[in-house]
Amino acid sequence: MKKLIVITGISRGLGRAITEEFINLGHTVIGCARSKSAVENLTNKYSNSHQFSCVNVADENNVQEWAKYTLANYSAPDLLINNAAIINQPAPLWKVDSEEFSQLIDINIKGVVNVIRYFVPAMISRGSGIIVNISSGWGRSSSPQVGPYCASKWAIEGLTGALSQELPNPIAAIALNPGIIHTDMLDICFGEDAKSFTSVKSWTKKAVPFLLNLKPEDNGIPLTIS
């Protein structure tokens, strides 16, 4: 069955990769990113049945307008993937600039909540749907130099667990650790060593079927793509 899938953070990395794979499999994707050029590129590349928008998920009004427009033109999503996130430049916590820290928290945590706030009520009204909040191994462990990112992903684990207890059946919320994949974000953390990890292309071939096969019974279970 073909699905309507909403994805945040589609400009690059995992978000871009799963967007293109979902479309190749015949699903409809509603995606957003802050990058105007990425949105224009995807819009030009794919048919009008898909929708790509410039949205800053940290801006509640921006998300509200995006959701309102989307839900007026499409049904509630079958699969909602909160993927948009950034990582801090590696540094001891006390050396992380307060503006950088605030931006990370605004995107990685508040952005997820903004999207949930304006899309999930429509899913509840319809009575179905899966919400996937992308977490990290650093949402279940910790590491030096990435304290802000760890804090944000631990928060995603906690808020997803609480959300899963609030949702009516058969709607599900799942915190998903994608595993360690060679992306631009990993380059920031690991430098040259990042190249030794799983490529985005090979990860996508596992991740997309995994995402499409999530079920209401997975509600509240922290999952990992491995």
Side-chain angles (χ1 to χ4, degrees):
M1 186 176 85
K2 301 308 179 185
K3 296 185 178 183
L4 178 66
I5 304 169
V6 170
I7 310 172
T8 67
I10 59 165
S11 63
R12 58 184 180 175
L14 307 187
R16 177 68 177 249
I18 62 174
T19 291
E20 297 196 328
E21 184 66 9
F22 282 132
I23 291 172
N24 291 339
L25 293 174
H27 302 284
T28 299
V29 174
I30 309 299
C32 79
R34 291 183 294 166
S35 169
K36 182 179 180 181
S37 61
V39 167
E40 289 176 347
N41 177 271
L42 284 164
T43 300
N44 292 334
K45 186 174 182 178
Y46 294 106
S47 71
N48 292 333
S49 62
H50 310 285
Q51 175 190 294
F52 307 106
S53 304
C54 283
V55 177
N56 178 3
V57 294
D59 183 330
E60 182 176 357
N61 290 333
N62 207 190
V63 174
Q64 183 179 23
E65 291 171 3
W66 175 51
K68 182 179 180 180
Y69 178 83
T70 298
L71 295 171
N73 290 279
Y74 297 85
S75 66
D78 299 299
L79 182 59
L80 173 61
I81 303 174
N82 277 303
N83 166 72
I86 60 173
I87 196 165
N88 60 285
Q89 289 296 319
L93 184 58
W94 62 91
K95 292 187 177 181
V96 176
D97 179 79
S98 61
E99 184 176 342
E100 181 183 9
F101 184 87
S102 293
Q103 183 189 35
L104 184 149
I105 295 301
D106 285 348
I107 292 172
N108 294 16
I109 304 175
K110 293 180 183 179
V112 170
V113 176
N114 287 338
V115 173
I116 288 168
R117 180 177 291 120
Y118 292 106
F119 278 98
V120 169
M123 299 168 74
I124 292 172
S125 294
R126 189 187 58 191
S128 65
I130 304 288
I131 302 145
V132 176
N133 296 329
I134 300 297
S135 180
S136 169
W138 285 335
R140 300 168 189 172
S141 64
S142 59
S143 188
Q145 308 280 311
V146 287
Y149 184 78
C150 290
S152 72
K153 292 304 183 179
W154 278 74
I156 290 303
E157 293 282 335
L159 72 83
T160 305
L163 176 64
S164 73
Q165 296 172 317
E166 296 162 350
L167 293 168
N169 290 329
I171 302 172
I174 297 143
L176 180 64
N177 171 15
I180 306 176
I181 309 100
H182 181 207
T183 61
D184 292 344
M185 189 179 289
L186 200 70
D187 284 336
I188 293 172
C189 302
F190 290 1
E192 285 296 313
D193 292 341
K195 295 178 181 177
S196 65
F197 290 93
T198 303
S199 71
V200 172
K201 184 176 181 179
S202 60
W203 174 85
T204 302
K205 294 299 181 183
K206 294 188 297 182
V208 165
F210 185 97
L211 287 161
L212 292 171
N213 287 321
L214 290 172
K215 306 176 296 298
E217 293 77 18
D218 296 316
N219 186 42
I221 303 173
L223 298 176
T224 301
I225 298 174
S226 58

